[in-house]
Amino acid sequence: MSGAASDTTTSRIRHRRFLLSVPWPVFRGNERRHAAEDVRQLAPEEIEHRPIAVCVVGTGAIGQTVIDALRDDVVPHVSVAAVLDSRSSPEEASAAFDVADIVVEAATVDAARTLLPEVVKRGKDIIVCSCGVFAERGFDVEPFGSGPGRVLLPTGAIGGFDVLAAATRAGSRDARLTHTTIKRPGALGIEECLDAERTVFRGSAREAALAFPRTSNSSVALALATLGLDRVEVVVIADPAAASTRHVVEWESPLGRYELTFENTIDPASSGRTSAITAWSVIEVLAALSLGIGPGAVVLGPPRR
């Protein structure tokens, strides 16, 4: 259900983003060689880069970081075209989608549920941060693989998706994948005063997203990139002494054994729920798209046969 962006997709992005300021020449007879030489000399100067226009939905910890980074020109050839929040009207949203090349959803699962079909049917790509929407029973992921727009999931607070997706493609029948998350109790909605760490959840990635919809986005993205929502095991630990958020990803299959550990600074604007790196994983996807390549994202598509 996932994979890196294809060469075809890359070509589509590149041709949509970059505009030639002169007509492509028609060659006749012996003019072909000389004209081609002229084009090679002129092309670098004649090609005009039009920034990728981004609509950001949500102005919380992730959305605001993305907005600030783009307005500070952190990513070349990518700019903020519109910003939407919970007060935006349907008319404002429609106008924003019209001017955008890509939409970044950084709001809530409810917002993602509404935005996804609306944006994809317009032929626009959408980066979804509230990945928990894909865990909902009855919310079918497969139709989004047929476009015309694409659904991109940032890797969020964890990494290693390249090797894990490759290992999955090599054979998943005997594979096991566990994602353990250690967070402060308050970030998990636990009000009880704990004096030691406690395992508060163990189950599938789908079940984790339903139980902790605001803190399981990385688990969902990991599952969609590998074994699927019902085969990836998720363990959630509440640790009152946690000064950061820790993620441990463990893979085992006939191909090999991998253990990846991530310890992330908490974004102070997120009430302890979000790793600071999460917004930058979104920014990195936007940076890759502007170059016509697509690392660092899970691309939803038809399930592997």
Side-chain angles (χ1 to χ4, degrees):
M1 288 190 294
S2 63
S6 67
D7 291 341
T8 300
T9 301
T10 298
S11 177
R12 180 176 68 82
I13 294 172
R14 184 179 294 115
H15 287 114
R16 189 172 71 184
R17 309 308 185 201
F18 300 106
L19 306 177
L20 286 173
S21 58
V22 293
W24 195 254
V26 176
F27 300 115
R28 296 181 178 84
N30 293 331
E31 296 177 359
R32 181 182 299 274
R33 178 173 59 84
H34 300 294
E37 291 172 355
D38 291 341
V39 169
R40 282 197 298 271
Q41 293 172 357
L42 292 174
E45 292 79 15
E46 295 293 336
I47 293 178
E48 177 187 349
H49 295 271
R50 181 175 69 83
I52 295 176
V54 180
C55 169
V56 180
V57 181
T59 55
I62 297 174
Q64 194 59 53
T65 298
V66 173
I67 293 166
D68 292 344
L70 297 185
R71 286 178 174 169
D72 290 341
D73 293 326
V74 170
V75 182
H77 312 307
V78 181
S79 64
V80 176
V83 175
L84 300 174
D85 58 25
S86 59
R87 296 167 297 181
S88 301
S89 67
E91 292 76 19
E92 289 171 326
S94 180
F97 299 154
D98 284 341
V99 300
D101 295 309
I102 186 166
V103 175
V104 173
E105 178 280 313
T108 64
V109 168
D110 288 341
R113 190 187 305 110
T114 301
L115 289 173
L116 269 162
E118 178 66 24
V119 174
V120 171
K121 75 180 182 181
R122 291 170 176 259
K124 305 294 179 75
D125 295 343
I126 180 170
I127 299 174
V128 179
C129 296
S130 302
C131 302
V133 67
F134 299 108
E136 296 180 345
R137 299 288 184 183
F139 192 87
D140 193 1
V141 176
E142 192 168 349
F144 295 110
S146 59
R150 297 176 307 162
V151 179
L152 310 177
L153 311 184
T155 58
I158 59 178
F161 281 52
D162 51 352
V163 68
L164 297 175
T168 301
R169 193 176 296 277
S172 62
R173 187 178 63 180
D174 298 319
R176 295 181 60 236
L177 179 57
T178 301
H179 177 203
T180 301
T181 301
I182 303 98
K183 292 189 174 186
R184 297 173 182 172
L188 298 169
I190 297 173
E191 298 180 359
E192 179 184 352
C193 184
L194 303 181
D195 54 11
E197 68 175 38
R198 177 189 299 176
T199 299
V200 296
F201 176 85
R202 183 184 294 271
S204 69
R206 185 187 303 278
E207 294 166 335
L210 297 176
F212 302 97
R214 303 186 71 177
T215 59
S216 299
N217 295 312
S218 292
S219 296
V220 172
L222 177 65
L224 291 174
T226 56
L227 302 180
L229 291 165
D230 298 308
R231 283 191 58 191
V232 172
E233 181 183 43
V234 174
V235 179
V236 180
I237 299 174
D239 183 359
S244 58
T245 296
R246 294 185 62 236
H247 296 271
V248 181
V249 178
E250 300 168 280
W251 167 280
E252 184 173 355
S253 75
L255 197 66
R257 297 179 66 249
Y258 314 112
E259 182 173 324
L260 308 170
T261 301
F262 307 89
E263 186 164 348
N264 298 320
T265 299
I266 299 169
D267 190 320
S270 71
S271 302
R273 291 189 300 267
T274 305
S275 297
I277 190 65
T278 301
W280 290 96
S281 75
V282 175
I283 295 164
E284 189 62 19
V285 173
L286 292 170
L289 290 176
S290 73
L291 297 173
I293 56 178
V298 180
V299 183
L300 295 190
R304 294 193 181 102
R305 302 301 181 188

